[in-house]
Amino acid sequence: MSKFIFVTGGVVSGLGKGLAAASIGLLLKKRGLKISVLKLDPYLNVNPGKMSPLQHGEVFITEDGGETDLDLGHYERFIDINLSKISSCSSGQIYRELMEDEDQGKFTEGTIQVIPHITNKIKERIRKVADKSGADIIIVEIGGTIGDIEAEPFLEAIRQFRNEVGKENSLFVHLTLIPYLKTSKELKTKPTQHSVKEMQSHGIQPDILICRTEIDLPFKLREKLSLFCDVPVEAIFQGLDVESIYDVPLNFYAEGIDDKICDILEISLPKANIEDWVKLAETYKKTNPIVNIFLIGDYVELPDAYLSVIEALNHAGSSNEVKVNVELIHPNELKDSLEKLQEAGGIIIHGNSEESGIDIKIKICEYARQNNIPYFGIGLGMQIAVIEFALNVANLKELLKNKNYIDILFDKVKDSENPMNKIEDKRIGAFECLLNENSLSYKIYKEKIIIERHRHKYELKDKYKKSLEKKGLTFSGIIYNSNIIEIVENNELNWFIGVQFHPEFKSRVDKPHPLFENFIETCIKKDPTN
């Protein structure tokens, strides 16, 4: 039978519940336990893929085609697991399922209510993750902050769930803020006290407190928290601000949080061996040569909109023993002059972009090609690379007459082209890709067939392939058993690759994605600052 850890947050949002859950999962996995994770989001949206990246950050894509919350990326990268679309659930999904049940006549006996119908649906999803994953531990993170009205059904559901599975099989972790008042040089516990009281009002008593803090929590302050929050002092841990997110599990390990979790859940296993993670964390903090990567996108005001690609670059930097400086640049910043691009060791145009501003993105791509700056096009960035080549190298007449470049060169994904996953005219999820053995991509991957995750709605038209190939554009990867182009290369340059898929979603802390790893290796040699 699976055991369950419920992670909640209080005081303010953005404290790092996702990182805390991922770090706990990492430590428990290193003790020999199989881990799976479920993110419960109180918002009423049904599909995170339709939400603005400026509000909720990137949309993380699972192997089975789920458009999910970005925290699933933290879980996958830290715990090194592939999650499913069932690991992301919102209030909107729960309510929609309930309405579908009503349409099917499942509630003819009476009124549909939050309790028991909504809470039962939430509990069903928790059990579904446990049954499908077969994991020893299911970590369930509830989004938002205690006190949010949307979160109340989730809190009631996990309260009921504990009664059903027993205290030895369930554990509540509550993450709060201990503010530090610099004027009086005091740490204040009152916000945490109120947050725990709010939890208690819902019938939930936290078993473990994780207190986010700028400075060490004195033992006396932990005693005070224990007294007012009814949590044993040995179950109160500090979540110190850190230089790197990869220090979080190390701090938790030093505090002994995984030991306490195992005690409460009656698990007897040897301590985790985290020597490999210590080395990784130390490598990230080294101030070795710095390579400057310019990441071009339309949502740069919120770095979380590009979280996975930034992390993939960090993974590749660590592997190459360099520090990657990622500079997020909106294309409009380069509208008047491209001179700033001289400072780039490498340029990425990312798919998390709007289809507007195509002209300036084409100019950025052209600058990279003409100046032999390593270029990595992801999603729309791949399409930009094809357009720029067709326009400025192949001189396709159709493009010179009409600026609807994407509509001219690319077809929208169609229902008939559905070898694996596709929703709402988008190719989404994991697909097999066949590599050309004479390509740079094949040399990088060292495999004939690869599997990558997609989220795109345009694919290159067949009729332009021959004319582009004649001018020197290489099509080095296609979707297996099809002629759909996945990867393009310009082999006359040091590194010029565009991919239709999103390789950043498969990069891991200790297993950098090969494309990012090779890209950074090339950028080190090219970067004008090195």
Side-chain angles (χ1 to χ4, degrees):
M1 176 182 175
S2 299
K3 294 177 184 282
F4 302 85
I5 298 173
F6 298 98
V7 180
T8 56
V11 185
V12 295
S13 61
L15 289 179
K17 291 191 305 298
L19 282 171
S23 298
I24 288 170
L26 166 69
L27 294 177
L28 294 177
K29 182 180 180 181
K30 286 188 174 294
R31 295 184 85 124
L33 294 165
K34 184 179 180 182
I35 309 297
S36 192
V37 191
L38 168 62
K39 176 69 184 293
L40 297 173
D41 275 305
Y43 52 69
L44 293 174
N45 304 68
V46 173
N47 182 5
K50 294 181 178 179
M51 297 166 71
S52 169
L54 291 177
Q55 288 190 18
H56 285 269
E58 73 174 8
V59 177
F60 187 82
I61 304 302
T62 58
E63 292 277 302
D64 60 350
E67 294 181 297
T68 72
D69 184 84
L70 62 80
D71 276 328
L72 268 72
H74 286 313
Y75 309 150
E76 287 205 359
R77 286 187 289 271
F78 273 55
I79 307 171
D80 192 16
I81 52 176
N82 287 335
L83 296 172
S84 161
K85 63 177 71 174
I86 65 168
S87 288
S88 178
C89 179
S90 69
S91 289
Q93 292 174 24
I94 294 293
Y95 279 91
R96 184 174 70 172
E97 286 179 18
L98 204 61
M99 295 306 99
E100 289 172 352
D101 287 349
E102 183 191 28
D103 289 342
Q104 294 169 15
K106 295 181 180 180
F107 294 105
T108 54
E109 74 279 5
T111 305
I112 301 173
Q113 297 177 292
V114 173
I115 302 172
H117 301 106
I118 293 294
T119 50
N120 283 348
K121 279 288 182 187
I122 295 168
K123 290 185 290 182
E124 283 175 19
R125 176 57 73 95
I126 297 171
R127 289 192 175 93
K128 186 176 181 180
V129 171
D131 292 342
K132 288 212 166 186
S133 67
D136 302 307
I137 302 287
I138 309 298
I139 300 174
V140 181
E141 179 196 344
I142 298 179
T145 307
I146 295 305
D148 295 344
I149 192 169
E150 298 95 339
E152 291 188 7
F154 291 100
L155 297 177
E156 173 60 20
I158 65 174
R159 182 196 68 78
Q160 295 175 15
F161 197 89
R162 163 167 265 192
N163 290 335
E164 294 169 12
V165 300
K167 290 186 176 181
E168 71 281 5
N169 293 314
S170 59
L171 183 150
F172 295 120
V173 176
H174 191 51
L175 184 71
T176 70
L177 176 68
I178 303 288
Y180 177 65
L181 302 184
K182 293 181 181 178
T183 52
S184 59
K185 297 183 179 179
E186 289 180 291
L187 288 164
K188 290 296 185 181
T189 65
K190 191 64 71 177
T192 293
Q193 293 177 42
H194 283 299
S195 184
V196 172
K197 278 185 169 61
E198 181 73 23
M199 288 284 288
Q200 292 167 339
S201 73
H202 289 280
I204 297 173
Q205 172 59 49
D207 299 296
I208 286 176
L209 279 183
I210 301 176
C211 301
R212 282 299 312 277
T213 174
E214 294 179 49
I215 62 175
D216 287 313
L217 295 181
F219 184 74
K220 285 188 177 180
L221 188 140
R222 298 192 198 207
E223 286 183 317
K224 182 179 179 181
L225 284 169
S226 176
L227 179 65
F228 283 97
C229 299
D230 198 24
V231 176
V233 69
E234 66 273 13
I236 297 174
F237 302 93
Q238 63 183 17
L240 279 170
D241 292 349
V242 289
E243 181 182 343
S244 160
I245 61 172
Y246 302 109
D247 289 330
V248 174
L250 300 181
N251 287 358
F252 281 4
Y253 180 81
E255 287 265 301
I257 194 169
D258 54 319
D259 291 332
K260 189 61 182 175
I261 288 171
C262 287
D263 287 343
I264 294 172
L265 293 178
E266 300 178 2
I267 296 170
S268 179
L269 284 171
K271 287 184 72 67
N273 183 344
I274 61 166
E275 288 182 9
D276 57 341
W277 197 270
V278 171
K279 291 177 182 176
L280 283 167
E282 287 175 351
T283 302
Y284 273 96
K285 288 183 284 189
K286 285 180 180 177
T287 55
N288 281 324
I290 295 175
V291 60
N292 293 310
I293 302 299
F294 287 4
L295 177 52
I296 313 296
D298 296 310
Y299 307 113
V300 296
E301 299 97 313
L302 184 68
D304 275 357
Y306 302 95
L307 179 61
S308 289
V309 72
I310 291 171
E311 287 305 304
L313 287 166
N314 286 332
H315 302 164
S318 177
S319 173
N320 282 287
E321 297 187 341
V322 297
K323 199 173 187 69
V324 178
N325 174 44
V326 183
E327 188 168 348
L328 298 172
I329 300 176
H330 194 284
N332 287 344
E333 295 178 43
L334 303 170
K335 213 167 188 177
D336 298 327
S337 173
L338 298 177
E339 285 185 15
K340 184 175 175 59
L341 295 177
Q342 296 174 7
E343 305 167 16
I347 295 172
I348 296 177
I349 295 183
H350 191 262
N352 197 359
S353 301
E354 298 172 353
E355 290 167 24
S356 59
I358 294 292
D359 287 342
I360 183 61
K361 291 168 188 168
I362 292 171
K363 289 179 181 177
I364 294 168
C365 182
E366 180 183 19
Y367 186 95
R369 178 179 59 80
Q370 290 180 337
N371 292 275
N372 205 5
I373 298 174
Y375 175 88
F376 196 175
I378 300 173
L380 178 63
M382 175 268 207
Q383 294 157 17
I384 293 292
V386 173
I387 294 168
E388 191 279 326
F389 190 91
L391 192 65
N392 297 320
V393 179
N395 296 314
L396 288 183
K397 294 178 181 179
E398 295 94 325
L399 298 183
L400 298 174
K401 296 175 183 177
N402 191 329
K403 284 197 170 186
N404 293 326
Y405 304 130
I406 288 182
D407 291 337
I408 292 171
L409 285 173
F410 297 87
D411 284 321
K412 284 189 176 181
V413 172
K414 298 175 183 177
D415 288 342
S416 60
E417 296 170 353
N418 185 20
M420 290 176 67
N421 300 306
K422 191 198 70 58
I423 59 170
E424 297 177 352
D425 294 323
K426 280 191 289 190
R427 190 174 300 282
I428 186 165
F431 289 81
E432 290 183 323
C433 174
L434 179 66
L435 299 183
N436 181 334
E437 292 187 29
N438 296 318
S439 67
L440 174 59
S441 296
Y442 178 79
K443 292 176 184 176
I444 292 171
Y445 277 99
K446 299 181 176 64
E447 293 181 45
K448 181 78 173 177
I449 297 175
I450 60 171
I451 298 176
E452 293 286 2
R453 302 183 195 182
H454 295 65
R455 188 184 185 235
H456 67 267
K457 57 185 178 181
Y458 293 104
E459 292 165 344
L460 184 63
K461 292 179 180 178
D462 288 338
K463 68 178 185 177
Y464 293 112
K465 292 175 185 175
K466 287 185 179 179
S467 56
L468 293 173
E469 278 184 308
K470 283 180 182 178
K471 292 293 184 177
L473 192 64
T474 300
F475 300 120
S476 53
I478 59 171
I479 286 183
Y480 192 67
N481 285 336
S482 81
N483 60 349
I484 298 169
I485 300 299
E486 289 282 88
I487 309 174
V488 300
E489 299 177 9
N490 188 332
N491 295 325
E492 294 181 3
L493 304 172
N494 284 334
W495 210 98
F496 197 97
I497 294 178
V499 297
Q500 192 80 283
F501 46 80
H502 287 265
E504 67 270 23
F505 293 139
K506 298 195 72 170
S507 187
R508 297 288 189 262
V509 180
D510 56 346
K511 289 182 281 189
H513 191 284
L515 284 177
F516 281 94
E517 192 171 30
N518 193 264
F519 174 65
I520 291 298
E521 182 182 347
T522 308
C523 292
I524 295 167
K525 302 170 186 174
K526 179 65 181 176
D527 195 321
T529 63
N530 284 327

